[in-house]
Amino acid sequence: MKLFLQSIAFSIAIHILYFLGTLVTGFINTRNYTPDFETAGSLTSEVAFGTTASPLILPVTFICVAVIGGALITLFRRKSAVY
């Protein structure tokens, strides 16, 4: 049970770091963007929001990262027990 909770915590931490990294990168890119209207040519009035990824990708990556985290935790426990 302890390994299960640790692997879930590991997965949550990795996902939070990923989302925060994406948020910070997007913020920095938006903050530093300067449009060049002279070379843009014709501008369209269409705007697209969001992504086209499947909503099932988050639970799948969460489970995969939890399994990998559990394997890494087990590996490090065994390696430290040898020394």
Side-chain angles (χ1 to χ4, degrees):
M1 187 66 173
K2 184 177 178 183
L3 176 63
F4 177 76
L5 293 176
Q6 287 176 342
S7 62
I8 294 295
F10 178 77
S11 184
I12 289 171
I14 294 295
H15 279 81
I16 287 174
L17 285 175
Y18 173 75
F19 286 122
L20 285 178
T22 304
L23 184 73
V24 168
T25 303
F27 178 75
I28 291 171
N29 287 339
T30 302
R31 190 88 169 137
N32 294 331
Y33 180 73
T34 53
D36 187 15
F37 291 115
E38 288 81 26
T39 60
S42 64
L43 299 175
T44 61
S45 61
E46 297 177 8
V47 178
F49 290 100
T51 62
T52 58
S54 171
L56 295 176
I57 197 77
L58 184 61
V60 170
T61 59
F62 187 81
I63 292 169
C64 290
V65 171
V67 168
I68 292 169
L72 288 173
I73 291 169
T74 303
L75 180 69
F76 284 125
R77 279 186 189 165
R78 287 185 184 170
K79 192 172 183 178
S80 64
V82 172
Y83 293 112

